[in-house]
Amino acid sequence: MKFVDYYKILGISKTATEKEIKTAYRKLARKHHPDVNPDNKEAEKKFKEINEANEVLSDPENRKKYDKYGENWKHGEAYEKAQQQQRQSYRQSSQQEFSNEDYSDFFESMFGGRRSSYSQGRSPKFKGQDYNAELQLNLKDVYTSQQQILTVNGKKIRLTIPAGVENGQVIKIKGKGGVGISGGPKGDLFITFTINNHTKFKREGNNLYLNMDLDLYTSILGGEIKADTFNGKVKLKIKPETKNGSKVKLKGKGFPIYRKEGKFGDLIITYKIKIPTNLNEKEIKLFKELQKFQAE
């Protein structure tokens, strides 16, 4: 009687978790499903083997017996139970869609000829394939919510892109993937956003950062200037003796917070003192006088 390695059939280790078993089964079953491989006897045979392996390994009790006895399952108590179950399977064989030869001897003897849903004429349902798409946008494009029309696998999909989407962010659109198998649900569409920044602002999360030149005279004496924000200009008061590298935070002048309408991050401005160049004679004279005054 042939021993069948169910772990090998599913391509998993003996320490695989229930989740790993389920994932391996669904992946292989989708690949070898008769609906995907019409008139392919080899694929149909493989599909039955996969279902058989899943029937055993997905059931904690069956898996326990399989792990315990392995190729020596026919010895001892397990063998006696298997024989009883085999006799029961013969009485039920006339009601099965497939003959006992469709399944391995090991499965028939060890577990009494339990059939998968496929063998009973009910093909298992599988979720359709997930689709992946990439959408490139400019930073200005995601400052406000907007609508886009994507073409995925020949189908046009209209979607609203909320303001504040980040570079590398992935959004799932449920049910916009491939058609399910045997009446299963449709797959999903995963969109990865690539945000290109061609502005003078640096974005980190919801905050924006801007380096701003400040002339020497205003930095020393103070005054008022106009500063750029992402959606316009604002007036700022400069304190006397403002140092190079000083920062000012403008609350709520940063980037929109994703899916929080009306809420924004902050804008942090760093002042860069600009040293005057190409001085004329009068300017040089004034700086020299100031230098002498400072030295006294």
Side-chain angles (χ1 to χ4, degrees):
M1 195 169 290
K2 185 174 64 174
F3 172 72
V4 181
D5 190 339
Y6 291 135
Y7 290 101
K8 186 176 181 180
I9 289 175
L10 294 183
I12 56 177
S13 68
K14 290 187 176 181
T15 58
T17 63
E18 290 185 13
K19 183 178 180 181
E20 289 171 336
I21 293 172
K22 182 178 179 180
T23 300
Y25 165 68
R26 292 180 68 87
K27 181 179 179 181
L28 291 171
R30 182 184 292 133
K31 179 180 178 181
H32 297 284
H33 196 283
D35 290 350
V36 180
N37 304 274
D39 301 322
N40 188 330
K41 296 297 182 182
E42 188 63 30
E44 183 176 341
K45 179 181 178 183
K46 185 67 176 177
F47 183 72
K48 293 170 186 174
E49 292 177 352
I50 293 165
N51 274 276
E52 178 180 320
N54 183 64
E55 286 280 338
V56 176
L57 299 184
S58 64
D59 185 302
E61 288 299 319
N62 287 346
R63 184 183 181 185
K64 184 178 179 181
K65 289 189 288 185
Y66 177 78
D67 289 342
K68 182 177 180 180
Y69 296 106
E71 62 184 354
N72 297 313
W73 63 272
K74 58 184 178 180
H75 299 297
E77 182 184 357
Y79 178 78
E80 297 299 327
K81 291 182 179 179
Q83 291 299 310
Q84 294 175 10
Q85 292 171 341
Q86 187 178 43
R87 286 192 291 270
Q88 293 175 3
S89 71
Y90 288 147
R91 290 195 297 269
Q92 298 172 356
S93 61
S94 60
Q95 300 176 4
Q96 304 297 335
E97 181 178 346
F98 296 103
S99 70
N100 289 334
E101 294 178 355
D102 288 330
Y103 291 84
S104 70
D105 293 336
F106 179 78
F107 184 75
E108 292 291 342
S109 299
M110 189 67 175
F111 303 109
R114 281 180 57 198
R115 296 295 191 264
S116 68
S117 58
Y118 179 75
S119 69
Q120 296 174 6
R122 300 191 303 275
S123 297
K125 297 180 180 180
F126 295 97
K127 179 183 176 184
Q129 182 181 0
D130 291 333
Y131 292 160
N132 292 280
E134 180 183 2
L135 183 58
Q136 295 201 17
L137 298 170
N138 293 322
L139 190 63
K140 289 184 177 180
D141 296 332
V142 293
Y143 187 77
T144 57
S145 297
Q146 61 169 290
Q147 288 192 337
Q148 287 270 353
I149 297 178
L150 298 182
T151 302
V152 180
N153 281 21
K155 294 182 178 180
K156 291 185 177 181
I157 299 174
R158 183 188 300 274
L159 69 151
T160 299
I161 303 173
V165 169
E166 294 194 42
N167 184 50
Q169 184 172 343
V170 179
I171 292 179
K172 180 177 79 172
I173 303 180
K174 191 174 179 62
K176 293 299 183 180
V179 177
I181 297 175
S182 299
K186 289 184 177 181
D188 302 320
L189 170 63
F190 292 87
I191 301 175
T192 301
F193 289 89
T194 298
I195 310 300
N196 300 308
N197 186 2
H198 301 296
T199 73
K200 59 184 178 181
F201 297 91
K202 179 182 177 182
R203 182 188 181 188
E204 290 186 4
N206 301 315
N207 293 332
L208 294 175
Y209 294 82
L210 175 67
N211 290 331
M212 185 173 180
D213 290 336
L214 188 64
D215 67 82
L216 178 64
Y217 313 107
T218 304
S219 68
I220 294 173
L221 302 175
E224 189 175 86
I225 62 171
K226 286 186 177 181
D228 290 322
T229 68
F230 208 84
N231 63 343
K233 292 182 178 291
V234 295
K235 290 182 179 180
L236 295 178
K237 288 186 177 181
I238 307 299
K239 296 180 180 179
E241 300 181 10
T242 295
K243 296 180 181 179
N244 184 54
S246 296
K247 300 180 185 293
V248 60
K249 180 190 289 185
L250 304 184
K251 292 188 69 65
K253 290 296 182 180
F255 219 71
I257 300 177
Y258 181 71
R259 291 198 178 281
K260 291 188 178 180
E261 188 174 352
K263 292 188 177 183
F264 295 78
D266 303 325
L267 170 61
I268 292 89
I269 296 176
T270 301
Y271 294 125
K272 300 294 183 180
I273 307 302
K274 189 175 181 181
I275 303 300
T277 57
N278 300 320
L279 300 177
N280 57 39
E281 292 184 3
K282 185 176 181 180
E283 289 173 324
I284 293 173
K285 184 178 179 180
L286 289 172
F287 272 106
K288 286 182 176 180
E289 290 180 1
L290 180 61
Q291 185 181 39
K292 290 178 181 180
F293 179 78
Q294 288 282 69
E296 293 179 359

